[in-house]
Amino acid sequence: MPAAAPLALEATALAKRYAGTTALGDVDLRVTTGSVHGLLGPNGAGKTTLLRLIFGLAHPDAGTMTLFGRPVTAGRTDPQLGGFVEAPQFYPHLSGRRNLEMLSAYDHRSDPAHLETLLEQVGLAQRAGDRVAGYSLGMRQRLGIAAALLRRPRLLVLDEPSNGLDPAGIRDLRTLTGELAADGLTILLSSHRMDEVEAVCDAVTILHRGAVAYAGTVDALRAQAPAPEYRLHTADDAAAVATARAHKAVTVEWYLTGGLLVRAQQSDLDGYVVNLGRDGIAVQALHRSTSALEQMFFRLTKADGQTRGAVDAQARQEAAVG
Amino acid sequence: MRVFRWRPLAVIGAAAALIASASGCGSPSITGAGLQRDFGPNFAQLYLIQQQLIGHPDAVADAGMHTAICTRGGPETPDRGAGTNWSCQVYWPSGPGGQTQTLSYEVDVKPTGCYTAQGPASLVGQQTIRAVDGRMVTNPLFEFYGCLDVG
Amino acid sequence: MSTWTVYRWEMEKLAALLRVRLAAGACFVAPFGFAVALRLQDAVPADTLFGEWVHLSGFATPMVLLVFTSQWALPLIACLVAGDIFAAEDRYGTWKTILTRAASRTSIFWGKSLAAMTYSVLMVALLALGGLSAGELLIGHQPLIGLSGTLIPPGQAAGLVLASWGVAVLPTLGFTAMGLLFSIATRNGPAGILTPTVIGLLMQLLALISGADLVRRVLLTTPYNAWFGFVRADRYYGPLLWGTVVSAGYVIGCLALGYLLMRRRDIDAG
């Protein structure tokens, strides 16, 4: 990414307190035009507060923001900005289409063809005439994306967009964000999941307890990352641990629930697995439980023991299921 | 989210109470003079309507009937303000001789300035009377009301 | 321009609400039920202004209805929409949905406020027309005995009935503005609807127990009586003028405060 690329969003020293607690303290955020930027952090890290400030929904206590060079005023949303904060919400007694028509009117726009295209694009064309009250969480999420794109923004802000989407929905969403990014749209994607950010983002800002824990490209983050974690099952785990002693770059621990936890970079892991075979130890299963970036994310947000534990446990559980 | 926020409510309530208490002075504009100015003509007009109902369309209400004297409570009570203890005296043409008779209405004046007056049934008739066409109708003079201009 | 867009959509959303449809239906139909009840029984509500004449003239029906409803029903009917129109956005979590559009907070505030006011005026009009037609159809259009004991001919009586209800619009708009303020301040629909209604009742009570004219004059319930001055032969308009000033004061005060709260508010939930 060229360093001189103009900034779509530049926030400097933003701070926001709610009833004595600091939601955000001295946060900088730089989103390059044309990039897909991840905003990552555990729940309660300040992502939502930051997004509310960007949308002008809340008034910052300190700091400045510019959007494509123009200062952001609290109390109104810049016309170049589209998206949603937290779960998108609509009027339940109006249909999906009527909701979009209303938002379109509130934007002083009227482009029925564009509206229908968007409904088609998010897969809601069939159900657009139904009242939103009958929509599933995933359908509301799709409607939220359509509503965000309605005003043809230059910066699209999505807050946990894959919430409530089934795997097929998540795949469609990734395809859509990819297409939008390819068309030159700048995207700020907020998420608590590293894998989601890793899949679509060029750069990432990691928030932790209202402060920036990391800001930079995903590649740079990956370079700093510790070895990924793998789960290994062999015919003879004790022998496999003994074999590991010959590999300095590989650490092996016992899982309480059975199997081995292996930390190693890919090339070292390859060498270890070859040696296992050479020693006559059959490898029954080997899969990655935590990616390098996830490891990095956990490390950056580690101070928050409770959250880390929860996320960690969740990650392991998902790995075990998968 | 259903969050009930008390603080703005308390501020508004306090402001309203302040305005209410700050303006809690001034004199009532319900007076005996005001009441009798309204009462007399009201009575005279209703007398005509009553006479029409019972078949005397050519009845007239002379100047005397338009005059009332209204007082409140005993001699020590000032004749002003809302209350149930008002009374108004008006004149009633008692017979063909043209002689008049004084009759007294009990009057309840509300703070809004509106009053209800109840008269002696022996002279003005019962609550319902038989109209000239045979129907039973409300007697306009048994009980009637009016409103004073209290600004 | 933007305010007009918001107003149009708010009106559409209101028209889709069951609560609003029921209120509108009740405002027109209830007077007929009232007139039927009056016709069926011999007793009359004699302690109410015009109560004595409900069998004598159909024009007494809308007047008695006005006396009854202005005690507490009109503030409640007005706040049924006004007290919830802002709080509904909190309930649905849709503040962020509409506030991230080009329409400003100012135009959303005015669009919603105007929509609530329109609804209030419509409900008063429905009650007035319902009462007038119920009295006319079920009792008849005999002359009405005015507050000064004089007979008012039918044509004039109809005009005075409508004028009296027209006057009731003023304090009703005051209560509407109060509902809007509490809707913004409490962010809670039931609180926005009930608080002004309770304030209205307290004002009625205060007017009854306090003899002081100044207190009575600043109460928003007093302008409901402003028609006392003109449904009679010798008319006076002082209460109407002052009632207009007081109602306007409440409307302006409540709207100004509501506007400030809305402008300063952080949309930090939902």
Side-chain angles (χ1 to χ4, degrees), chain C residues 8 18 20 36 49 62 68 80 119 138 157 159 168 171 178 194-195 198 206 218 237 258:
Chain C
R8 256 176 359 97
L18 182 66
V20 172
V36 167
L49 292 179
F68 278 166
L80 214 52
Y119 157 85
L138 294 166
M178 208 186 276
L194 293 177
T195 314
V198 170
L206 196 60
V218 298
Y237 294 97

Side-chain angles (χ1 to χ4, degrees), chain B residues 10-51:
Chain B
V11 172
I12 295 161
L18 199 74
I19 293 167
S21 62
S23 56
C25 44
S27 65
S29 52
I30 297 163
T31 61
L35 182 56
Q36 60 201 27
R37 232 184 355 260
D38 193 82
F39 197 92
N42 199 354
F43 170 74
Q45 293 296 332
L46 291 170
Y47 169 75
L48 292 180
I49 290 172
Q50 188 207 41
Q51 292 301 307

Side-chain angles (χ1 to χ4, degrees), chain A residues 16-18 52 55-60 74-79 81-94 98-99 101-108 131 144 147-151, chain C residues 1-3 5-10 12-17 21 85 88-89 91-108 112 262-270:
Chain A
K16 179 70 185 173
R17 276 177 299 279
Y18 282 113
R52 286 182 190 281
F55 276 109
L57 288 170
H59 302 67
R76 61 181 294 268
T77 302
D78 195 285
L81 177 64
F84 52 81
V85 188
E86 292 191 315
Q89 299 288 354
F90 299 93
Y91 296 108
H93 50 279
L94 300 181
R98 206 74 189 123
N99 266 288
E101 282 166 356
M102 191 197 90
L103 295 175
S104 200
Y106 276 30
D107 263 340
H108 315 313
R131 288 165 146 231
L149 293 171
L150 203 55
R151 61 193 330 218
Chain C
M1 174 62 207
S2 197
T3 302
T5 307
V6 175
Y7 173 79
R8 256 176 359 97
W9 279 92
E10 285 298 331
E12 177 180 331
K13 283 193 286 178
L14 286 183
L17 285 181
R21 292 176 178 187
I85 200 165
E89 305 291 344
R91 190 166 60 248
Y92 297 141
T94 39
W95 272 124
K96 59 187 183 194
T97 311
I98 53 171
L99 287 182
T100 51
R101 299 286 151 178
S104 64
R105 287 190 186 201
T106 305
S107 51
I108 285 173
K112 278 179 175 290
M262 164 125 174
R263 279 302 294 264
R264 287 184 37 191
R265 175 176 175 186
D266 278 347
I267 308 300
D268 49 15

Side-chain angles (χ1 to χ4, degrees), chain C residues 126-139:
Chain C
L126 280 176
L127 272 172
L129 293 175
L132 200 58
S133 30
E136 174 102 15
L137 291 173
L138 294 166
I139 290 151

Side-chain angles (χ1 to χ4, degrees), chain C residues 136-198:
Chain C
E136 174 102 15
L137 291 173
L138 294 166
I139 290 151
H141 52 276
Q142 302 85 349
L144 179 69
I145 299 174
L147 289 180
S148 55
T150 40
L151 277 178
I152 303 169
Q156 206 186 346
L160 287 177
V161 165
L162 290 179
S164 303
W165 277 93
V167 167
V169 165
L170 300 172
T172 305
L173 287 181
F175 278 107
T176 307
M178 208 186 276
L180 293 169
L181 170 60
F182 280 102
S183 189
I184 295 174
T186 64
R187 306 181 189 178
N188 178 296
I193 293 169
L194 293 177
T195 314
T197 312
V198 170

